[in-house]
Amino acid sequence: MLILTRRPDESLHIGDNIVITVLSIKGHQVRIGITAPKEVVIDREEVRARKQRELNTASAASPAPTAPAPVTPS
């Protein structure tokens, strides 16, 4: 894990096209802004966990694909 110290209005870059900027700090809360391409999915940890649970539930509820019936010569 990389640990960085940033102050409000300071940024860090991830690769060539993602920028994270510290917008403000109030007590124990930090507001950040993220600039990234639209195809980059950005989720809060709890949202990502919920999506993963829903995906796992949906895949467990759907029936497993069945193999095609063998063809017998006539």
Side-chain angles (χ1 to χ4, degrees):
M1 175 187 300
L2 173 65
I3 300 172
L4 300 170
T5 301
R6 299 279 74 200
R7 291 185 173 90
D9 298 321
E10 292 183 339
S11 300
L12 60 102
H13 293 254
I14 300 174
D16 293 331
N17 54 6
I18 300 175
V19 179
I20 299 175
T21 303
V22 176
L23 301 176
S24 66
I25 302 170
K26 292 182 183 179
H28 293 293
Q29 288 190 329
V30 178
R31 288 186 68 206
I32 61 172
I34 303 170
T35 303
K38 289 183 179 185
E39 60 270 9
V40 175
V41 177
I42 302 172
D43 283 328
R44 295 186 324 261
E45 183 176 18
E46 63 275 15
V47 171
R48 186 179 195 111
R50 186 189 76 227
K51 286 180 178 179
Q52 189 63 44
R53 281 193 309 272
E54 290 171 357
L55 182 65
N56 289 343
T57 302
S59 64
S62 63
T66 57
V71 176
T72 55
S74 357

